[in-house]
């Protein structure tokens, strides 16, 4: 699709033309909002695991210019790849990287877990043939996705030896990358004019990152996959996390990071990865009004003790308890959860079925309701009498957009909850498939459907919002773009819209006829 960040730049330009600034954020009569308080990115800012061939070529061309030290890759030595230079010379460097994994008794599991070598029914299949491996590659990726400067004078040509199929794919991808680069001046300008909050999701590291206890045991149990994951986390710390919460990075952690940059592949590099894998301060709170609480749903997971393949809860008991303490006493909150807390029931049911058959990786079976412990704990936080009365949950991840108004059922009226999901900034869900899933979800989980009583959210009133121009009952909006949420003084959303990359502005409207006890 197009680029939602370009639409942000266009909005800011319209506001400046009207005379609005961050010092005077009052909305005008023309339907434009006031100056945005923050741009919130809810994960998958980069795709370290799904890289176009020409983008990988641009990464290598930029690394030639920067002359960063070559990283040692001793764990991959049995494939003949001793370091980053050998990786670039290897015939599998482009479009065949999954073949570079070491051969051992757990190789099949490692292939499946790290490189996503499985078909994914319902959802689009993953492509990890150019998965980023070295620290320098991930750092270069960040430089190339947010600024046009590194692209100036960069010459990217197909590597020698591509087969006819890969050469054709390269040519197709080249046009897409050129269009992406053409938009980067607007992207850079947008990021420079609004405070930007970020949090990781799986693709910032690798698909299905920490999905289950089995995934973690396999992926972290081999030094090569541990290094691949660790390199992405090091790059995330430098390019995203440091700006989110600078006070969480002490001198010792900065020393670890500096030594990794000085000698990638040395023992200090692995020590840095070990330190970051133990790090527990990726979450943060910004003192906005209302406060914005950004949670980490990737590294402190509630692992299944019963079955290693079952999906882990998105947060463990300790981190959920910490979250409750942060929320105590707040009248309202912006809660940023990469995955929607209240998602589409049909898709969650499909994920549950595949999990029951022992194949959670096939359908990205990670949602808040997939793990009974974390599901019950987050719902109890919403019900607690000392937590906010107004919850605005901001999410992404799923490649379509929707809004639910949620009221909890009980002896005492629960808080008002707005689940707002805007996704993705560039990626789009296949439109025909999205329409089928939307209709099936509406039929199977209609207000009178008994299937509602088999979900973990049966004790709540869910009111889906219809998006402007949609057929009656439709609620899942496809199309790349960016969500725009405007709040009143009490922290209640009074207007929710999606700014599509194609220029359309779509409002979400409450539909009382479709509210239900669910």
């Amino acid at each position: 699709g197009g680029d939602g960040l370009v639409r942000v730049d266009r909005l800011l330009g319209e506001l400046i033309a009207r005379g609005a600034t961050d010092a005077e954020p009052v909305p005008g009569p023309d339907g434009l909002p006031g100056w945005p308080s923050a741009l919130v990115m809810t994960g998958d800012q980069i795709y370290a695991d799904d890289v176009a061939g020409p983008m990988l070529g641009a990464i290598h061309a930029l690394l030639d210019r920067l002359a960063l030290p070559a990283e040692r890759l001793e764990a991959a030595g049995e494939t003949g790849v001793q370091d980053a230079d050998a990786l670039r010379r290897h015939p599998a460097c482009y479009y065949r990287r999954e073949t570079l994994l070491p051969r051992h008794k757990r190789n099949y599991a490692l292939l499946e877990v790290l490189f996503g070598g499985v078909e994914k029914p319902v959802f689009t299949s993953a492509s990890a043939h150019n998965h980023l491996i070295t620290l320098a590659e991930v750092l270069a990726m960040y430089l190339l996705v947010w600024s046009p400067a590194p692209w100036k004078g960069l010459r990217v040509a197909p590597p020698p030896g591509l087969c006819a199929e890969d050469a054709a794919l390269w040519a197709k991808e080249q046009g897409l990358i050129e269009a992406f680069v053409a938009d980067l001046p607007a992207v850079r300008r947008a990021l420079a004019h609004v405070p930007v909050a970020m949090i990781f999701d799986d693709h910032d590291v690798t698909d299905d990152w920490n999905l289950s206890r089995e995934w973690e045991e396999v992926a972290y149990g081999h030094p090569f996959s541990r290094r691949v994951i660790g390199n992405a986390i090091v790059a995330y710390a430098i390019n995203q996390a440091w700006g989110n919460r600078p006070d969480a990075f002490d001198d010792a952690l900065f020393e670890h990071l500096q030594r990794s940059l000085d000698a990638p592949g040395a023992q200090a590099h692995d020590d840095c990865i070990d330190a970051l894998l133990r790090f527990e301060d990726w979450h943060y709170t910004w003192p906005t009004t209302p406060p914005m609480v950004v949670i980490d749903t990737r590294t402190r997971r509630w692992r299944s003790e019963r079955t290693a393949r079952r999906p882990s809860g998105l947060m463990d008991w300790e981190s959920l308890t910490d979250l409750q303490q942060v929320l105590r006493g707040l009248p309202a909150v912006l809660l940023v959860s990469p995955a929607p807390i209240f998602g589409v029931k049909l898709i969650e049911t499909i994920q549950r079925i595949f999990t029951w058959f022992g194949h959670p990786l096939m359908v990205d079976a990670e949602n808040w309701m997939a793990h009974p412990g974390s599901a019950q704990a987050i719902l109890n936080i919403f019900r607690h009498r000392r937590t906010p009365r107004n919850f605005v949950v901001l999410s992404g991840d799923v490649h379509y957009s929707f809004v639910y108004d949620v009221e909890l059922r009980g002896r005492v009226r629960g808080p008002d909850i707005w689940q707002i999901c805007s996704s993705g900034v560039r990626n789009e869900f296949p439109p025909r498939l999205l329409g089928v899933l939307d209709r099936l979800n509406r039929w199977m989980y209609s207000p009178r459907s008994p299937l509602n009583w088999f979900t973990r959210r049966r004790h709540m009133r869910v009111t889906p919002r219809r998006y402007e121009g949609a057929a009656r009952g439709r609620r899942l909006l496809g199309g790349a773009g960016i969500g725009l949420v405007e709040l009143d003084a009490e922290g209640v959303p009074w207007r929710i819209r999606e700014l599509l990359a194609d220029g359309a502005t779509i409002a979400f409207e409450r539909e009382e006829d479709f509210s239900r006890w669910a």
Side-chain angles (χ1 to χ4, degrees):
D3 196 323
L5 293 180
V6 175
R7 186 66 197 278
V8 174
D9 178 70
R10 192 182 315 163
L11 172 65
L12 297 181
E14 293 169 351
L15 293 172
I16 291 172
R18 196 188 67 191
T21 67
D22 56 353
E24 191 172 346
V26 180
D30 49 10
L32 292 175
W35 194 268
S37 301
L39 172 62
V40 183
M41 295 187 173
T42 61
D44 300 339
Q45 277 67 251
I46 69 164
Y47 272 61
D49 59 326
D50 192 354
V51 182
M55 177 62 87
L56 185 58
I59 287 170
H60 291 156
L62 180 59
L63 293 181
D64 289 338
R65 179 188 296 173
L66 298 177
L68 298 180
E71 179 179 336
R72 294 207 310 266
L73 297 170
E74 295 175 356
E78 61 194 77
T79 64
V81 178
Q82 298 287 350
D83 56 25
D85 292 338
L87 172 64
R88 290 183 56 179
R89 293 191 301 266
H90 199 283
C93 181
Y94 286 85
Y95 297 114
R96 298 289 184 274
R97 287 193 164 199
E98 71 274 20
T99 65
L100 296 178
L101 286 175
R103 300 289 171 181
H104 61 96
K105 62 181 180 181
R106 301 188 74 177
N107 182 57
Y108 174 76
L110 192 59
L111 268 170
E112 179 183 271
V113 165
L114 180 59
F115 283 88
V118 293
E119 293 296 322
K120 295 191 173 186
V122 178
F123 303 101
T124 53
S125 61
S127 173
H129 307 305
N130 291 320
H131 199 302
L132 301 181
I133 290 177
T134 69
L135 177 57
E137 286 179 340
V138 193
L139 292 172
M141 179 78 164
Y142 275 105
L143 294 176
L144 291 165
V145 298
W146 282 334
S147 172
W151 291 92
K152 293 179 180 177
L154 205 65
R155 296 185 177 181
V156 182
L162 288 183
C163 67
E165 180 182 358
D166 291 341
L169 179 57
W170 178 288
K172 177 183 177 181
E173 293 173 337
Q174 183 66 45
L176 299 173
I177 295 298
E178 290 172 355
F180 170 79
V181 175
D183 284 336
L184 283 178
V187 172
R188 177 173 62 172
R189 185 167 53 196
L191 297 178
H193 282 79
V194 182
V196 182
M198 304 181 185
I199 190 65
F200 46 39
D201 205 12
D202 55 345
H203 293 288
D204 295 288
V205 177
T206 193
D207 192 20
D208 298 326
W209 179 32
N210 294 344
L211 183 139
S212 65
R213 179 162 58 91
E214 180 191 52
W215 194 103
E216 294 188 48
E217 290 171 354
V218 172
Y220 296 120
H222 192 280
F224 182 61
S225 55
R226 186 183 182 90
R227 174 72 67 79
V228 172
I229 295 167
N231 283 340
I233 296 174
V234 171
Y236 171 81
I238 295 171
N239 289 278
Q240 298 194 52
W242 179 17
N244 292 330
R245 186 181 172 186
D247 60 346
F249 286 70
D250 57 20
D251 291 343
L253 191 51
F254 276 123
E255 184 67 23
H256 273 305
L257 292 170
Q258 187 60 59
R259 289 180 178 176
S260 295
L261 297 173
D262 292 339
Q267 183 60 48
H269 184 180
D270 289 328
D271 292 343
C272 179
I273 290 173
D274 291 342
L276 290 178
L277 290 176
R278 295 191 302 268
F279 190 68
E280 293 188 343
D281 288 318
W282 302 113
H283 61 283
Y284 58 97
T285 300
W286 277 12
T288 52
T289 304
M292 184 169 67
V293 178
V294 183
I295 58 177
D296 165 16
T297 60
R298 280 290 162 187
T299 72
R300 298 181 64 184
R301 292 199 152 190
W302 196 327
R303 299 165 183 87
S304 173
E305 297 298 329
R306 186 178 64 179
T307 307
R309 279 202 162 191
R310 290 188 64 85
S312 298
L314 300 195
M315 295 175 69
D316 61 19
W317 174 257
E318 291 78 8
S319 58
L320 285 163
T321 301
D322 293 343
L323 173 63
Q324 182 167 338
Q325 292 302 313
V326 171
L327 297 176
R328 283 173 64 93
L330 297 178
V333 68
L334 290 167
L335 183 64
V336 180
S337 168
I341 295 178
F342 305 96
V344 177
K345 287 187 182 180
L346 173 65
I347 294 176
E348 291 180 357
T349 299
I350 293 171
Q351 293 172 334
R352 192 173 178 182
I353 291 170
F354 274 83
T355 298
W356 190 82
F357 281 106
H359 298 287
L361 285 167
M362 294 181 71
V363 289
D364 286 339
E366 46 191 341
N367 60 72
W368 276 94
M369 302 302 149
H371 186 281
S374 60
Q376 191 62 44
I378 192 67
L379 294 178
N380 286 341
I381 288 175
F382 286 128
R383 292 190 176 97
H384 195 281
R385 61 185 179 86
R386 295 289 303 277
T387 48
R389 303 307 304 169
N390 294 323
F391 276 91
V392 177
V393 183
L394 303 177
S395 304
D397 182 48
V398 293
H399 305 295
Y400 48 84
S401 302
F402 63 89
V403 179
Y404 290 160
D405 295 13
V406 182
E407 300 170 32
L408 299 184
R409 187 180 188 181
R411 288 178 298 175
V412 179
R413 185 179 182 277
D416 290 320
I417 304 169
W418 292 267
Q419 171 66 72
I420 304 173
C421 181
S422 175
S423 182
V425 174
R426 283 191 62 88
N427 286 355
E428 300 181 356
F429 204 96
R432 291 185 63 184
L433 178 57
L434 184 62
V436 170
L437 293 174
D438 201 356
R439 291 184 182 90
L440 284 175
N441 183 68
R442 187 171 72 254
W443 294 337
M444 294 179 65
Y445 295 97
S446 67
R448 296 179 178 83
S449 172
L451 293 177
N452 291 314
W453 289 94
F454 294 95
T455 72
R456 301 190 195 282
R457 296 175 300 183
R458 55 187 175 273
H459 297 302
M460 60 187 78
R461 184 172 186 252
V462 178
T463 304
R465 294 202 181 192
R466 175 178 174 269
Y467 62 89
E468 192 175 24
R472 181 175 173 82
R474 283 294 300 268
R475 61 203 63 162
L476 305 182
L477 173 63
I482 201 84
L484 178 59
V485 182
E486 296 170 82
L487 308 173
D488 66 17
E490 304 299 321
V492 174
W494 67 271
R495 187 163 62 178
I496 304 170
R497 293 179 288 175
E498 186 74 13
L499 308 181
L500 294 178
D502 63 10
T505 299
I506 308 294
F508 285 91
E509 302 163 342
R510 185 178 170 98
E511 279 192 308
E512 292 295 342
D513 291 347
F514 280 83
S515 66
R516 62 182 184 270
W517 290 109

